[in-house]
């Protein structure tokens, strides 16, 4: 961040931002001077590197995380009459993917301290369904960078015959215990049929816009690859055959080159995010914070997309939001429970109310967290919170 100052005005600190360096820029310029600006070698290299980094067998790069969610559902054959289970605390796109394929959405409650949905909460949502659908897909979300209990969620889903699509938009680089003494990488699909990533600028890797589907299933990877490009199979000579209705969700070479260059820095970015999380944690354990604000989660194996704190109540959270904003600090709220959006209120027959999600939403606030956040910027965030609590 450049510390551009107008007079005595402190510079604005956003809650998240991309970190683009000279070699990232050069990678994009090189593509512009090359023969391919879309569908060329950068896409293939980016996909191979994503598969290697996450440990998944296949990666399919697409135009956004939302496209990746849509294609995962479509690729698994989810359609009208089917239902998807979505944690209430997530970005709306997780639920929207199901609506694109005509499936119903059932919302899953979350832990009111971590914002994560557990296996029990998925099971409760599945048991609450009015009628049994043909197919089910569960979409556990690695909220804020911490994977949920995927081994237990996957075991419960298997028992119910449901697919699992991991929304790992927040968690590339995170690990989680497999329950048998080893650790798994987020996006490895060790406990899911597919996982999705996003390369929106606020996420860990910036490709301008972009996303990817990860899977260990060759048939699914092939189908998603076809669906990303109109549902077309290539034939001999000039022939091609559209065998099903796909979309145009391709990524450009410019985006892939940027994403690939960023992927090479991911471990450095993650290290910085973890250091920032540790500094926040150390500060918030001291007075006057202790007892006034709580941290949504602590484990260091998180990829720390967000650093979320919780206030005692909704009034205090709202006052803090405005106080930070007045002090040029761009805190954010992640997320408004998805079922409370007008669209979902209008179409979801019946009133939805999930106490864990509502309690979490009422109290949460995301503090600035991104690799280029300096210690001085972070100190300003911490001292602003301190002066808020002592006001
Ligand atoms: C960002 C995000 C998405 C969608 O990603 P886009 O690339 O913006 O389409 C999906 N799920 C979650 C949890 C996200 O944060």
């Amino acid at each position: 961040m450049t510390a551009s100052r107008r007079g005595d005005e402190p510079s604005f600190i956003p809650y998240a931002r991309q970190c683009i360096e000279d070699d990232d820029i050069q990678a994009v310029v090189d593509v512009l001077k090359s023969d391919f600006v879309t569908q060329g070698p950068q896409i293939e290299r980016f996909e191979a590197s994503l598969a290697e980094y996450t440990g998944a067998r296949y990666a399919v790069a697409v135009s956004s995380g939302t496209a990746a969610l849509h294609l995962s559902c479509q690729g698994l054959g989810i359609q009208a009459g089917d239902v998807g289970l979505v944690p209430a605390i997530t970005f709306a796109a997780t639920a929207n993917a199901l609506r694109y394929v005509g499936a119903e959405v059932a919302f899953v409650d979350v832990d009111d301290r971590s914002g994560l949905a557990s296996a029990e909460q998925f099971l409760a949502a599945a048991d609450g369904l009015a009628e049994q659908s043909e197919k089910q897909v569960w979409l556990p979300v690695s909220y804020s960078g911490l994977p949920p209990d995927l081994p237990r969620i996957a075991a419960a889903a298997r028992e119910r015959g449901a697919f699992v699509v991991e929304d790992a938009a927040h968690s590339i680089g995170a690990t989680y215990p497999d329950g048998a003494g080893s650790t798994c990488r987020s996006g490895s699909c060790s406990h899911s049929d597919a996982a999705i990533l996003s390369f929106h600028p606020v996420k860990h890797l910036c490709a301008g816009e972009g996303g990817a589907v990860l899977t260990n299933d060759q048939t699914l990877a092939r189908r998603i690859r076809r669906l990303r490009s109109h549902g077309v199979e290539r034939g001999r000579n000039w022939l091609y055959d559209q065998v099903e209705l796909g979309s145009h969700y391709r990524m450009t070479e410019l985006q892939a080159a940027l994403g690939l260059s960023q992927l090479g820095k991911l471990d450095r970015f993650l290290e910085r995010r973890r250091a920032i999380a540790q500094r926040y944690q150390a500060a918030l354990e001291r007075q006057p914070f202790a007892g006034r604000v709580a941290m949504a989660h602590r484990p260091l194996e998180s990829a720390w997309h967000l650093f979320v704190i919780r206030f005692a109540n909704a009034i205090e959270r709202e006052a803090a939001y405005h106080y930070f904003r007045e002090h040029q600090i761009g805190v954010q709220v992640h997320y408004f429970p998805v079922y409370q959006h007008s669209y979902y209120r209008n179409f979801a027959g019946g009133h939805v109310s999930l106490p864990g999600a509502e309690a979490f939403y009422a109290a949460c606030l995301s503090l600035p967290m991104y690799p280029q956040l300096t210690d001085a910027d972070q100190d300003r965030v911490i001292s602003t919170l301190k002066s808020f609590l002592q006001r």
Side-chain angles (χ1 to χ4, degrees):
M1 273 237 34
T2 50
S4 61
R5 279 157 201 276
R6 274 176 286 117
D8 289 339
E9 281 258 313
S11 57
F12 183 76
I13 302 175
Y15 87 88
R17 66 161 288 149
Q18 71 277 15
C19 173
I20 308 271
E21 297 167 327
D22 287 346
D23 55 339
D24 297 311
I25 294 167
Q26 192 56 48
V28 176
V29 171
D30 290 347
V31 167
L32 284 168
K33 292 177 177 169
S34 78
D35 292 335
F36 296 97
V37 290
T38 192
Q39 287 183 285
Q42 298 294 328
I43 297 278
E44 279 168 34
R45 287 181 57 206
F46 187 39
E47 291 180 337
S49 299
L50 285 171
E52 192 187 328
Y53 191 91
T54 56
R57 218 163 290 152
Y58 308 98
V60 184
V62 293
S63 53
S64 69
T66 304
L69 283 161
H70 179 186
L71 293 186
S72 299
C73 292
Q74 195 183 356
L76 288 168
I78 304 297
Q79 57 189 2
D82 299 336
V83 63
L85 270 51
V86 175
I89 297 295
T90 184
F91 183 52
T94 320
N96 294 347
L98 294 157
R99 299 301 302 141
Y100 298 153
V101 297
E104 299 300 312
V105 180
F107 290 101
V108 181
D109 204 4
V110 302
D111 183 273
D112 62 0
R113 288 153 304 154
S114 70
L116 295 175
S118 67
E120 288 70 30
Q121 286 166 319
F122 271 97
L123 285 168
D127 289 339
L129 296 173
E131 40 194 296
Q132 281 315 305
S133 50
E134 193 71 14
K135 285 197 258 11
Q136 248 183 52
V137 57
W138 296 8
L139 291 112
V141 175
S142 301
Y143 173 78
S144 77
L146 187 64
D149 189 349
L150 290 169
R152 293 194 50 239
I153 291 170
R158 206 176 312 120
E159 232 167 73
R160 302 294 175 106
F163 293 115
V164 177
V165 174
E166 240 179 291
D167 185 333
H170 293 187
S171 60
I172 187 170
T175 57
Y176 61 93
D178 73 348
S182 307
T183 57
C184 298
R185 277 175 276 173
S186 177
S188 62
C189 302
S190 306
H191 300 93
S192 60
D193 297 285
I196 73 93
L197 302 173
S198 164
F199 311 122
H200 180 276
V202 299
K203 307 289 166 65
H204 294 81
L205 302 178
C206 172
E209 294 278 3
V213 182
L214 302 160
T215 183
N216 293 325
D217 178 338
Q218 187 179 38
T219 309
L220 181 62
R222 281 198 183 136
R223 183 160 187 213
I224 287 173
R225 220 172 267 290
R226 186 169 75 193
L227 288 169
R228 142 182 100 171
S229 205
H230 311 281
V232 157
E233 296 271 20
R234 261 183 247 159
R236 280 196 315 119
N237 302 330
W238 56 84
L239 286 175
Y240 62 86
D241 183 25
Q242 186 190 326
V243 296
E244 61 179 332
L245 184 62
S247 301
H248 175 183
Y249 280 159
R250 293 190 304 260
M251 178 182 267
T252 66
E253 286 282 283
L254 311 177
Q255 291 165 294
L258 181 54
L260 187 61
S261 178
Q262 292 258 296
L263 187 56
K265 306 166 180 210
L266 181 56
D267 287 335
R268 168 159 62 88
F269 289 170
L270 287 165
E271 205 175 301
R272 179 66 193 144
R273 285 177 181 272
R274 290 187 175 121
I276 292 168
Q278 271 178 312
R279 272 184 108 242
Y280 273 136
Q281 287 171 349
L284 297 183
E285 273 160 9
R286 294 195 298 268
Q287 292 304 329
F289 307 107
R292 299 287 302 282
V293 294
M295 288 167 269
H297 77 262
R298 310 295 308 276
L300 278 178
E301 58 270 26
S302 169
W304 292 107
H305 165 53
L306 301 172
F307 190 89
V308 183
I309 60 171
R310 290 180 301 112
F311 287 86
N313 55 54
I315 295 166
E316 184 123 303
R317 192 275 304 274
E318 190 174 344
Y321 174 86
H322 292 296
Y323 191 86
F324 274 115
R325 292 263 160 176
E326 279 159 24
H327 289 80
Q328 300 296 314
I329 295 173
V331 292
Q332 249 319 337
V333 171
H334 298 96
Y335 293 95
F336 186 54
V338 179
Y339 59 82
Q340 290 185 354
H341 284 288
S342 302
Y343 172 77
Y344 284 102
R345 274 195 280 126
N346 292 338
F347 110 89
H351 178 71
V352 182
S353 176
L354 299 170
E358 287 175 26
F360 186 82
Y361 163 67
C364 69
L365 196 68
S366 304
L367 301 182
M369 166 61 89
Y370 50 89
Q372 283 171 309
L373 184 75
T374 63
D375 286 357
D377 286 342
Q378 192 182 11
D379 288 342
R380 212 177 101 207
V381 176
I382 293 165
S383 66
T384 304
L385 179 60
K386 188 171 178 178
S387 59
F388 168 75
L389 293 173
Q390 293 175 331
R391 78 201 186 287

